[in-house]
Amino acid sequence: MTRSRVRLDQPRAPRRSLLPEYDPEAFGRLSERVARFLGTGRFIVWMTLVIILWVLWNIFAPDDLRFDQYPFIFLTLMLSLQASYAAPLILLAQNRQDDRDRVNLEQDRKQNERSIADTEYLTREIAALRMGLGEVATRDWIRSEFQDLIKEMDERHLFPPESDEADR
């Protein structure tokens, strides 16, 4: 018995499956739309109207037109069927929302980390500027130094007395 050699550098040929193929993303979007509809007041109103019409028809219609007699077993079956499909669809929609929330939370966390790093960098830069500014001579400081120097020179009489003849 000879074995065929499997080539690892080539993809496998697709296998046939007995199960039907479906797009999980499209099914997820559909489940979200159904879950969104099931959570609305419109659905409650429509469901209530259908049940009231169902019950009234099966009580007051002629006997040969009634399809569900008094205990309304068929109505119970239909409501159970609706609930059995609604619950998994709602859970699937919630799981998809949880996945989106998890991705958004991770992105928010990364953005917060970048913001914190940027803030720390700017804080260090501002501190460095403040330290550097402490060593810079400002205009007011230079003026005060000149005034002190002029006073000191006046006290030592280094300037000749001002006379009107020098101005002519």
Side-chain angles (χ1 to χ4, degrees), residues 1 7 10 26-27 38 55 65 95 98 111 115 131-132 135-136 161:
M1 185 170 171
R7 295 209 40 187
Q10 295 178 348
F27 189 75
L38 292 177
V55 170
L65 295 178
N95 287 342
D98 287 344
Q111 179 63 37
S115 295
M131 289 171 48
E135 298 169 3
V136 172

Short mmCIF file of all heavy atoms in Angstrom, two decimals, residues 1 7 10 26-27 38 55 65 95 98 111 115 131-132 135-136 161:
data_model
loop_
_atom_site.label_atom_id
_atom_site.label_comp_id
_atom_site.label_asym_id
_atom_site.label_seq_id
_atom_site.Cartn_x
_atom_site.Cartn_y
_atom_site.Cartn_z
N MET A 1 0.84 -1.17 0.00
CA MET A 1 0.00 0.00 0.00
C MET A 1 0.89 1.24 0.00
O MET A 1 1.73 1.39 0.87
CB MET A 1 -0.88 -0.04 1.26
CG MET A 1 -1.88 1.04 1.33
SD MET A 1 -2.93 0.59 2.69
CE MET A 1 -3.86 1.97 2.85
N ARG A 7 2.31 17.47 0.36
CA ARG A 7 3.19 18.61 0.11
C ARG A 7 2.81 19.72 1.06
O ARG A 7 1.67 20.17 1.10
CB ARG A 7 3.05 19.08 -1.33
CG ARG A 7 3.52 17.99 -2.28
CD ARG A 7 4.06 18.47 -3.54
NE ARG A 7 4.89 19.64 -3.43
CZ ARG A 7 5.33 20.27 -4.48
NH1 ARG A 7 5.02 19.85 -5.68
NH2 ARG A 7 6.07 21.34 -4.36
N GLN A 10 2.00 23.58 -0.43
CA GLN A 10 0.79 23.87 -1.17
C GLN A 10 -0.42 23.71 -0.26
O GLN A 10 -0.44 22.83 0.60
CB GLN A 10 0.64 22.93 -2.37
CG GLN A 10 1.72 23.12 -3.40
CD GLN A 10 1.56 22.13 -4.54
OE1 GLN A 10 0.78 21.18 -4.45
NE2 GLN A 10 2.32 22.34 -5.60
N ALA A 26 -22.41 37.22 8.01
CA ALA A 26 -23.77 37.58 7.57
C ALA A 26 -24.80 37.03 8.55
O ALA A 26 -25.78 37.71 8.88
CB ALA A 26 -24.02 37.02 6.17
N PHE A 27 -24.58 35.82 9.04
CA PHE A 27 -25.50 35.25 10.01
C PHE A 27 -25.48 36.05 11.31
O PHE A 27 -26.53 36.28 11.93
CB PHE A 27 -25.13 33.78 10.29
CG PHE A 27 -26.15 33.06 11.12
CD1 PHE A 27 -27.34 32.66 10.57
CD2 PHE A 27 -25.89 32.80 12.45
CE1 PHE A 27 -28.28 32.01 11.34
CE2 PHE A 27 -26.82 32.15 13.23
CZ PHE A 27 -28.02 31.74 12.67
N LEU A 38 -36.44 42.20 18.40
CA LEU A 38 -37.10 41.56 19.54
C LEU A 38 -37.07 42.41 20.80
O LEU A 38 -37.88 42.22 21.70
CB LEU A 38 -36.47 40.19 19.83
CG LEU A 38 -36.68 39.11 18.78
CD1 LEU A 38 -35.94 37.84 19.16
CD2 LEU A 38 -38.15 38.82 18.57
N VAL A 55 -56.42 34.11 19.75
CA VAL A 55 -57.35 33.65 20.79
C VAL A 55 -58.79 34.00 20.39
O VAL A 55 -59.70 33.16 20.49
CB VAL A 55 -56.98 34.25 22.15
CG1 VAL A 55 -58.05 33.99 23.19
CG2 VAL A 55 -55.65 33.66 22.63
N LEU A 65 -63.97 26.49 11.22
CA LEU A 65 -62.85 27.38 10.87
C LEU A 65 -61.82 27.52 11.99
O LEU A 65 -60.75 28.10 11.78
CB LEU A 65 -63.37 28.76 10.48
CG LEU A 65 -64.22 28.83 9.22
CD1 LEU A 65 -64.71 30.24 8.99
CD2 LEU A 65 -63.43 28.34 8.02
N ASN A 95 -22.94 38.13 22.25
CA ASN A 95 -21.53 37.71 22.14
C ASN A 95 -20.79 38.58 21.13
O ASN A 95 -19.64 38.97 21.36
CB ASN A 95 -21.44 36.24 21.72
CG ASN A 95 -21.82 35.31 22.84
OD1 ASN A 95 -21.84 35.68 24.01
ND2 ASN A 95 -22.15 34.08 22.48
N ASP A 98 -20.17 41.84 22.79
CA ASP A 98 -19.06 41.70 23.75
C ASP A 98 -17.71 41.73 23.04
O ASP A 98 -16.76 42.35 23.54
CB ASP A 98 -19.19 40.39 24.55
CG ASP A 98 -20.31 40.43 25.56
OD1 ASP A 98 -20.79 41.54 25.88
OD2 ASP A 98 -20.72 39.35 26.04
N GLN A 111 -4.84 53.82 23.48
CA GLN A 111 -4.88 55.28 23.30
C GLN A 111 -4.56 55.99 24.61
O GLN A 111 -3.84 56.99 24.62
CB GLN A 111 -6.26 55.71 22.78
CG GLN A 111 -6.39 57.20 22.59
CD GLN A 111 -5.44 57.74 21.55
OE1 GLN A 111 -5.18 57.10 20.54
NE2 GLN A 111 -4.90 58.92 21.79
N SER A 115 -1.56 58.55 25.39
CA SER A 115 -1.83 59.88 25.96
C SER A 115 -1.00 60.11 27.22
O SER A 115 -0.46 61.20 27.42
CB SER A 115 -3.31 60.03 26.27
OG SER A 115 -4.08 60.00 25.10
N MET A 131 13.62 75.04 33.99
CA MET A 131 14.97 75.05 34.54
C MET A 131 15.88 75.91 33.68
O MET A 131 16.70 76.68 34.18
CB MET A 131 15.52 73.62 34.64
CG MET A 131 14.85 72.82 35.73
SD MET A 131 15.27 71.05 35.75
CE MET A 131 17.02 71.07 35.62
N GLY A 132 15.72 75.81 32.35
CA GLY A 132 16.54 76.61 31.45
C GLY A 132 16.18 78.09 31.55
O GLY A 132 17.04 78.95 31.44
N GLU A 135 17.94 80.25 34.15
CA GLU A 135 19.29 80.69 33.87
C GLU A 135 19.35 81.79 32.80
O GLU A 135 20.41 82.29 32.49
CB GLU A 135 20.12 79.49 33.40
CG GLU A 135 20.21 78.40 34.46
CD GLU A 135 20.80 77.12 33.90
OE1 GLU A 135 21.17 77.09 32.71
OE2 GLU A 135 20.87 76.14 34.66
N VAL A 136 18.22 82.19 32.24
CA VAL A 136 18.17 83.20 31.19
C VAL A 136 17.97 84.57 31.81
O VAL A 136 17.18 84.74 32.74
CB VAL A 136 17.02 82.89 30.20
CG1 VAL A 136 16.83 84.01 29.20
CG2 VAL A 136 17.30 81.58 29.48
N PRO A 161 30.19 115.73 36.31
CA PRO A 161 28.93 116.43 36.56
C PRO A 161 28.40 116.99 35.26
O PRO A 161 29.15 117.47 34.41
CB PRO A 161 29.30 117.55 37.55
CG PRO A 161 30.76 117.55 37.62
CD PRO A 161 31.31 116.34 37.00
#
